[in-house]
Structures are given as structure tokens and as C-alpha cells.
Amino acid sequence: MSMSLKLLKLSACCSIAAAALLGCNTATTQTENLSQTTVHRVTVHAVSPAGVGAAIGTVKLSDSAQGLVIENDLSQLTPGYHGFHIHEKGSCEPAEKDGKMGAALAAGGHFNPNNAPHHGTPNDGHLGDLPVLNVDSDGKAQTTVIAPRLKLADIKGLAIMVHEGGDNYSDSPAPLGGGGNRVACGII
């Protein structure tokens, strides 16, 4: 049997096995091993003070030599720039703050295990500070960003969050970059 025929048969068997395995997974997150690279898929949902809503897309997370690769395939967001962060708790549920319910507040604050004194860029602020999420005029974010100081193992079980407004990577004039309310969340 020729080498190319053997590779074709092996490829077909792997494809069938992968389809069978992935078809049986009903969880909202999936982990795939492709060529020694682990890809973790997170389902992202719209959030509001009333609770967790419909799925609006997925985020794929994988490690690289440059840091954590974050591939976004999201929709139903308002066009423009949005604050984008890893939050310290694995919950997207609403919670009460200052006597009012807030969207996804159960996720806590930005992931900051090193106690960085300020919000900042993905290079110098909280470890959970990610590059801003750019949403196109159709409400879609199909972008790839890199968090240079993170690895997938660092953030499993935490939340990934999209904020209503942009992020200026500073605590001034508004705290935490001015992103405001939380509008979408997924548990990693």
C-alpha cells in the first residue's frame, strides 16, 4: 500500500473518531488536541441584571510561544470597541452591588493574582487585562488577539467578559478603563 493511501486512510479514521467524540459532548466548553496544541472552546452568552441569556458565539483559547491566543467568533454586540477581560471567578450570574443587581457581577473583578496596583495594558496591568475587542458594524467580532502573559492553565475555571464600552487601559478618568457594564460572559 502506498504511503499516500495509508495517510489518507489514517486521516479519514481520525476525522470519523473526532466527529464521534465531539458530537457526544454537550458541555458549553470543549477541549480539542490538534497537533499537540490544546484548543479550549468557550460558549459566550449575553448577560444582563436579570441573568444569563442566549449564546452569542464562541471564544477559542490556545497556548502559543507568544502567549494565550484568543480567537473570537461573537455576534449580537454593539459596534465599536469593548473592554475585554478575564475575571477572577467562574460565574456569569448576576449579583448585587450597592443595592442594585448587576450583570455577571458574580464573576468578581479582573483576574489579578499578582496584585498589580492598577488596570493597564495586557503587558503591564492585571493579568486579566486583554486587548480591546473590536466589533464591526454588523455586531460581529471575528478577531484574534494575544494575551502575552497568560497560559490556558492559568485561567481554566475563570470567566471571560465583554464590557459595554471601550477600554483606555487606565483607571482614569473612569475605573478599570471605563468599560462599564458587563454585556457578555463565558466560563472557561
Side-chain angles (χ1 to χ4, degrees), residues 138-163:
D138 293 327
K140 296 180 181 178
Q142 295 173 321
T143 60
T144 299
V145 297
I146 295 179
R149 299 181 298 154
L150 289 176
K151 294 184 184 328
L152 183 55
D154 298 334
I155 60 168
K156 280 198 174 179
L158 305 182
I160 192 161
M161 193 74 63
V162 179
H163 290 264

Side-chain angles (χ1 to χ4, degrees), residues 42 86-92 107 110-113 128 150 152-161 185-188:
V42 178
I86 303 295
H87 281 248
E88 63 189 347
K89 297 177 185 169
S91 176
C92 294
H110 294 180
F111 179 55
N112 188 21
L150 289 176
L152 183 55
D154 298 334
I155 60 168
K156 280 198 174 179
L158 305 182
I160 192 161
M161 193 74 63
C185 178
I187 300 172
I188 302 167

Side-chain angles (χ1 to χ4, degrees), residues 115-185:
N115 297 314
H118 60 84
H119 172 68
T121 72
N123 294 315
D124 67 5
H126 306 139
L127 280 180
D129 294 340
L130 302 176
V132 295
L133 184 67
N134 188 9
V135 177
D136 69 20
S137 61
D138 293 327
K140 296 180 181 178
Q142 295 173 321
T143 60
T144 299
V145 297
I146 295 179
R149 299 181 298 154
L150 289 176
K151 294 184 184 328
L152 183 55
D154 298 334
I155 60 168
K156 280 198 174 179
L158 305 182
I160 192 161
M161 193 74 63
V162 179
H163 290 264
E164 183 176 49
D167 187 341
N168 69 359
Y169 301 120
S170 173
D171 286 321
S172 177
L176 301 173
N181 293 329
R182 301 164 187 204
V183 296
C185 178

Side-chain angles (χ1 to χ4, degrees), residues 47-139:
V47 293
S48 73
V52 178
I56 63 164
T58 60
V59 172
K60 289 186 200 175
L61 305 166
S62 60
D63 290 323
S64 76
Q66 292 76 32
L68 183 69
V69 177
I70 305 167
E71 297 176 64
N72 302 294
D73 188 6
L74 304 172
S75 62
Q76 303 174 42
L77 294 165
T78 57
Y81 294 107
H82 293 265
F84 193 43
H85 309 102
I86 303 295
H87 281 248
E88 63 189 347
K89 297 177 185 169
S91 176
C92 294
E93 295 297 321
E96 188 175 324
K97 181 178 179 184
D98 300 327
K100 291 174 60 175
M101 292 302 286
L105 289 179
H110 294 180
F111 179 55
N112 188 21
N114 299 338
N115 297 314
H118 60 84
H119 172 68
T121 72
N123 294 315
D124 67 5
H126 306 139
L127 280 180
D129 294 340
L130 302 176
V132 295
L133 184 67
N134 188 9
V135 177
D136 69 20
S137 61
D138 293 327

